[in-house]
Amino acid sequence: MQTKSEIVGVYIGARNSVAVRGLWNSLPPLYCQCAVAYTDFWADGAAVLPGANDIEQSARKRALTTYIERFNNTLRPRVSRLVQKTLSFSKSLENHIGAIWYFIHHYNTSLLVEHYLKNND
């Protein structure tokens, strides 16, 4: 069974080198020292992330991006503001960002509660 991981860095914006740099800068410094970056071999990611050019394009490394895709598929139904054809859709960018942050804090808190309950039963 796959364990869930805490979200430690977030950048909300366009998919470009500025966004990749923003995501990297959002990580705590300790994580940046020992981080392993898995990308979909996108040129902007390889230009910004340290060591990304050294990663070989094997099927195993490509498969590791499925963790990110799985999280994105978890995020969409839980934050209905991101789905345009719902009643809760908002045109305000600030509301979208706030809803994403609310989800991230709730997600991380639920992991802590789950861990606590598992270890204290």
Side-chain angles (χ1 to χ4, degrees):
M1 183 171 125
Q2 176 188 342
T3 59
K4 297 177 184 175
S5 299
E6 183 179 4
I7 301 168
V8 294
V10 175
Y11 180 84
I12 301 170
R15 187 176 159 102
N16 56 30
S17 60
V18 172
V20 176
R21 176 61 58 198
L23 177 60
W24 184 256
N25 291 336
S26 75
L27 296 173
L30 181 62
Y31 284 82
C32 292
Q33 292 174 9
C34 56
V36 175
Y38 298 108
T39 72
D40 54 0
F41 306 104
W42 176 51
D44 286 336
V48 174
L49 296 172
N53 290 324
D54 301 333
I55 298 173
E56 63 185 55
Q57 293 190 16
S58 67
R60 167 82 177 124
K61 300 221 182 210
R62 260 187 303 241
L64 292 171
T65 62
T66 59
Y67 296 125
I68 306 302
E69 294 304 321
R70 179 68 204 128
F71 177 75
N72 289 340
N73 289 331
T74 299
L75 181 68
R76 281 186 204 101
R78 293 193 187 168
V79 184
S80 60
R81 290 176 188 262
L82 301 176
V83 182
Q84 189 168 6
K85 294 182 179 181
T86 63
L87 294 175
S88 60
F89 181 75
S90 171
K91 292 183 182 177
S92 168
L93 179 60
E94 291 81 15
N95 288 346
H96 282 293
I97 292 172
I100 292 169
W101 277 112
Y102 179 80
F103 172 78
I104 289 169
H105 290 297
H106 182 267
Y107 182 84
N108 284 345
T109 303
S110 69
L111 291 178
L112 290 172
V113 170
E114 186 178 303
H115 177 73
Y116 175 79
L117 293 175
K118 187 171 105 176
N119 291 328
N120 291 319
D121 282 340

